[in-house]
Amino acid sequence: MMATPLLLIIALAGTTLADCGYAYLRNTTSQYVDAQSRGLYTAMTGLIPNTTYTEQFKPVDIRVGILSKPLKLAHNRSFHDPVRCTTFTEIIVTDPSHPYVIGTRMETDGAKITKIETLVTDAGDWLFNATGYAYYNSLEKWDPIPAQEYDDPAVIKAAGDAYFDRFANANVTVPYGTPCARLEGGAYTDSGLTGNNTCNLGLPNTIKVTDRRYVVDVEMGAVNIYVGFPGLDRASNEPTPDSHLFRVEKGKIRYIHTISTCEGHPGCGLNGTGLSVFLC
Ligand SMILES: *[C@@H]1O[C@H](CO)[C@@H](O)[C@H](O)[C@H]1NC(C)=O
Ligand SMILES: *[C@@H]1O[C@H](CO)[C@@H](O)[C@H](O)[C@H]1NC(C)=O
Ligand SMILES: *[C@@H]1O[C@H](CO)[C@@H](O)[C@H](O)[C@H]1NC(C)=O
Ligand SMILES: *[C@@H]1O[C@H](CO)[C@@H](O)[C@H](O)[C@H]1NC(C)=O
Ligand SMILES: *[C@@H]1O[C@H](CO)[C@@H](O)[C@H](O)[C@H]1NC(C)=O
Ligand SMILES: *[C@@H]1O[C@H](CO)[C@@H](O)[C@H](O)[C@H]1NC(C)=O
Ligand SMILES: *[C@@H]1O[C@H](CO)[C@@H](O)[C@H](O)[C@H]1NC(C)=O
């Protein structure tokens, strides 16, 4: 009678069980942040020869990508989705020799990293100003949500989806909170800290944003969505590689952080025009 459970335990001990719990996912992002600061991708134990690595949504050899450059991180913050087995990390580098704002989304199978999608923004990208990104971020409060106030993950995801759905349909109501603030590249919609809802500044209604990839983190009250953003780059017909991070509190959007790369078109076609537009 004892034999069966014992055999079962022995059998299980030889198996690698996929585990997408917070502990595993946090380990993965913590290793990533450490690897980026050292410029040592080999320090990530979850990499396999098969791991897909992209920058700006294009395949890049990890040995020559941004992960091989040591960076002095002014800020890092990670999000973990135990349901989708995905993570998102936001990094700001204010080092004057080369400032960056970097977003990295990882997909795992619970044991290995299957995909790393990094968005590397620097001078010439959408409203880029790493000093501004670090400054406005530092004014914000991104503490973990108290457990008794967790939103349903579906509610968090729906808030981010409503934002993108609104780009194709003016009838969609986006659950903005008051206050609400959007940080894009380094520009802030509420630099005066009015306490108003400065996310509801008007959006186009003709843009279909597809190919959404999610990281939903209930503990952080956040959803990160990677998209290809059509029309953001005025100089291109290609969708712009883009990350939107939404902080959602009690069902309402509190903060939005965007990272958008302008592929070969400084300022996405608006660089030097003096225009400081918010459109995404
Ligand atoms: C992450 O996991 C690796 C491999 O299991 C382990 O060596 C390392 O100590 C862990 N790191 C952290 C920060 O938990
Ligand atoms: C690599 O990818 C292929 C195709 O997706 C898969 O069949 C194979 O098992 C993978 N190898 C490892 C070591 O994960
Ligand atoms: C990342 O952020 C955490 C929390 O703020 C901090 O403790 C850690 O030192 C940072 N890591 C690096 C490599 O800068
Ligand atoms: C335009 O973009 C370049 C990088 O491509 C940057 O160095 C320059 O400062 C930008 N000019 C303005 C006016 O923003
Ligand atoms: C970048 O942001 C900082 C902090 O808000 C600001 O002082 C600076 O003027 C900004 N730089 C540009 C080029 O807009
Ligand atoms: C938006 O609502 C108006 C009024 O109800 C309706 O006429 C219109 O067809 C709706 N537009 C879309 C895109 O659903
Ligand atoms: C927005 O903030 C300004 C400055 O604090 C205040 O004067 C104004 O009444 C606010 N508007 C709304 C609609 O709350």
Side-chain angles (χ1 to χ4, degrees), residues 60-83:
V60 165
D61 184 340
I62 198 167
R63 290 170 299 180
V64 300
I66 191 79
L67 251 177
S68 69
K69 295 180 181 61
L71 301 178
K72 191 169 176 294
L73 313 187
H75 159 84
N76 76 84
R77 183 186 287 130
S78 292
F79 302 85
H80 309 94
D81 185 334
V83 174

Side-chain angles (χ1 to χ4, degrees), residues 17-257:
L17 295 175
D19 171 15
C20 280
Y22 275 100
Y24 164 72
L25 295 173
R26 282 206 179 94
N27 181 302
T28 303
T29 52
S30 148
Q31 284 198 7
Y32 160 72
V33 168
D34 177 62
Q36 181 61 84
S37 73
R38 295 200 278 155
L40 199 62
Y41 68 88
T42 50
M44 297 173 71
T45 54
L47 288 182
I48 46 172
N50 264 10
T51 305
T52 302
Y53 180 77
T54 71
E55 293 183 359
Q56 292 45 296
F57 298 175
K58 296 205 178 65
V60 165
D61 184 340
I62 198 167
R63 290 170 299 180
V64 300
I66 191 79
L67 251 177
S68 69
K69 295 180 181 61
L71 301 178
K72 191 169 176 294
L73 313 187
H75 159 84
N76 76 84
R77 183 186 287 130
S78 292
F79 302 85
H80 309 94
D81 185 334
V83 174
R84 292 174 186 77
C85 238
T86 54
T87 70
F88 175 71
T89 300
E90 177 184 72
I91 283 175
I92 307 174
V93 175
T94 50
D95 182 346
S97 72
H98 196 149
Y100 291 100
V101 177
I102 296 169
T104 289
R105 179 178 185 283
M106 292 191 278
E107 293 179 5
T108 85
D109 65 5
K112 296 293 173 194
I113 300 164
T114 49
K115 188 176 193 181
I116 303 179
E117 297 186 279
T118 293
L119 294 173
V120 185
T121 59
D122 58 4
D125 285 314
W126 183 248
L127 300 174
F128 183 79
N129 178 358
T131 315
Y133 217 107
Y135 172 68
Y136 291 115
N137 173 68
S138 75
L139 303 179
E140 298 181 347
K141 196 163 175 283
W142 285 77
D143 294 350
I145 305 285
Q148 67 276 15
E149 289 172 22
Y150 284 168
D151 276 316
D152 190 304
V155 168
I156 298 171
K157 177 175 177 287
D161 273 331
Y163 185 84
F164 284 119
D165 292 345
R166 170 63 185 75
F167 277 86
N169 182 351
N171 293 352
V172 171
T173 300
V174 185
Y176 296 121
T178 304
C180 179
R182 198 167 63 202
L183 178 55
E184 294 183 21
Y188 207 51
T189 55
D190 195 19
S191 53
L193 306 178
T194 63
N196 291 334
N197 169 359
T198 63
C199 292
N200 192 16
L201 297 173
L203 297 173
N205 58 19
T206 53
I207 298 176
K208 230 179 153 60
V209 183
T210 57
D211 196 19
R212 306 177 192 181
R213 287 99 86 196
Y214 303 90
V215 180
V216 178
D217 186 331
V218 173
E219 293 188 3
M220 288 296 283
V223 54
N224 172 264
I225 312 183
Y226 266 36
V227 303
F229 212 120
L232 198 160
D233 190 337
R234 276 63 169 173
S236 168
N237 292 323
E238 294 294 313
T240 301
D242 176 279
S243 161
H244 273 59
L245 175 66
F246 301 86
R247 164 80 168 197
V248 178
E249 297 174 0
K250 298 190 173 136
K252 305 279 191 196
I253 297 173
R254 176 66 185 90
Y255 303 118
I256 306 172
H257 287 187

